[in-house]
Amino acid sequence: MTDKLDKTPPGSPAGQAFVSKAATTAPENIKAIPVRHVGRWISGVVVIGLLVALVYAFSQGNIQWQAVGDKLFDSTVVAGAGRTLLISVLAMILGVILGVVLAVMRLSKNPVTSWVAWLYIWFFRGTPVYVQLLLWFNLALIFPVLNIPFIYKDEMTDVMTPFMCALLGLALNEAAYMAEICRAGIQSVDEGQTEASHALGMTQGKTMRRVVLPQALRVIIPPTGNEFINMLKTSSLVYAVTYNELLRSTSQIGSTSYAVMEMLFVASIWYIVMTSVFSVGQYYLERRYARGSLRSLPLTPWQRVKVNLAAFGNRPSGGVSA
């Protein structure tokens, strides 16, 4: 049994009415039902609950929070923070300079310089910073006198002061890591740049200074910023060589006032503040050197805030129109 077909001609009145009715009937609106992420809500509630429990535990602990506020800007603490910043900056500068030299030596075609650079990196990356600091601090046990013929001679204990031990220990260790960072940055530059420079008559050293290193900075800068932030925290290890930096300053106050935990909190706050400030500087420095690789730079956090405020201010008072 077959179905009956509608054989009404399209030009007839009945056909025109059917077409008109079909044309005027609007399609039914699609009702979109968003997916419910129940797991997100549960995990969010669990995390917030854990944070509240952690804050409550610290609020009920035997901690003199008033002492934290009173000692936060103590002259001894501020001086220790200044020495931490000083030793970090100087060690980082020496580490970067020596790291560039080691990277060039490592990439040299001279097997002697390349092998010496590899041996340096292998040793200082293979031993802990704490051990290296102790080696410098106890160097007088091996060499009681520092004797450079016709130039300098003095007792090693007078030469290896706590500041000098801290500077050498941090800087020489950092140079090994910076050498690998600089080597990766130099190798990221296309070899055609070097070949073109040599074709123009530039020497190997001039090519490295004028062509390769400026382009390699885009790769070198981001990890260098991370290394400096790490240096700020690693500088606390110079406590072992009796250099009076931030951690040692706060520990001395804590041992005399019996506020050990409170002074550790003070030191932690100072470390967080210093690393946060330099993290902002690192962000803008990376953004500056990214101009050569990105067509349009991403908005900074402050620019995003201004865009959102402008969009909120331009919204119509009656709501969003259809």
Side-chain angles (χ1 to χ4, degrees), residues 102-223:
L102 289 170
V104 175
M105 291 174 59
R106 181 82 185 277
L107 297 173
S108 175
K109 295 180 181 180
N110 188 333
V112 176
T113 57
S114 179
W115 183 81
V116 170
W118 178 87
L119 185 64
Y120 179 97
I121 295 170
W122 170 78
F123 176 79
F124 282 94
R125 290 178 64 187
T127 55
V129 186
Y130 188 78
V131 175
Q132 296 173 27
L133 289 168
L134 294 178
L135 286 174
W136 288 110
F137 187 66
N138 296 286
L139 193 62
L141 299 176
I142 304 176
F143 304 105
V145 178
L146 177 61
N147 186 10
I148 303 176
F150 309 108
I151 298 177
Y152 184 80
K153 183 178 181 180
D154 198 355
E155 297 289 335
M156 186 62 74
T157 54
D158 296 331
V159 176
M160 285 298 162
T161 61
F163 174 80
M164 186 60 65
C165 294
L167 181 61
L168 291 176
L170 295 177
L172 297 181
N173 178 79
E174 183 61 33
Y177 291 92
M178 284 304 306
E180 292 298 283
I181 293 173
C182 295
R183 183 173 67 88
I186 292 173
Q187 290 181 331
S188 68
V189 180
D190 189 81
E191 292 183 359
Q193 301 287 328
T194 303
E195 295 173 356
S197 301
H198 291 168
L200 294 174
M202 299 177 67
T203 62
Q204 185 72 25
K206 193 172 184 179
T207 300
M208 182 64 67
R209 294 193 309 269
R210 297 287 185 87
V211 179
V212 177
L213 284 179
Q215 297 183 64
L217 284 177
R218 181 174 56 85
V219 179
I220 295 174
I221 289 297

Side-chain angles (χ1 to χ4, degrees), residues 45-63:
V45 171
V46 170
V47 171
I48 293 176
L50 291 176
L51 290 176
V52 171
L54 183 63
V55 172
Y56 177 77
F58 273 91
S59 65
Q60 298 300 313
N62 187 16
I63 301 174

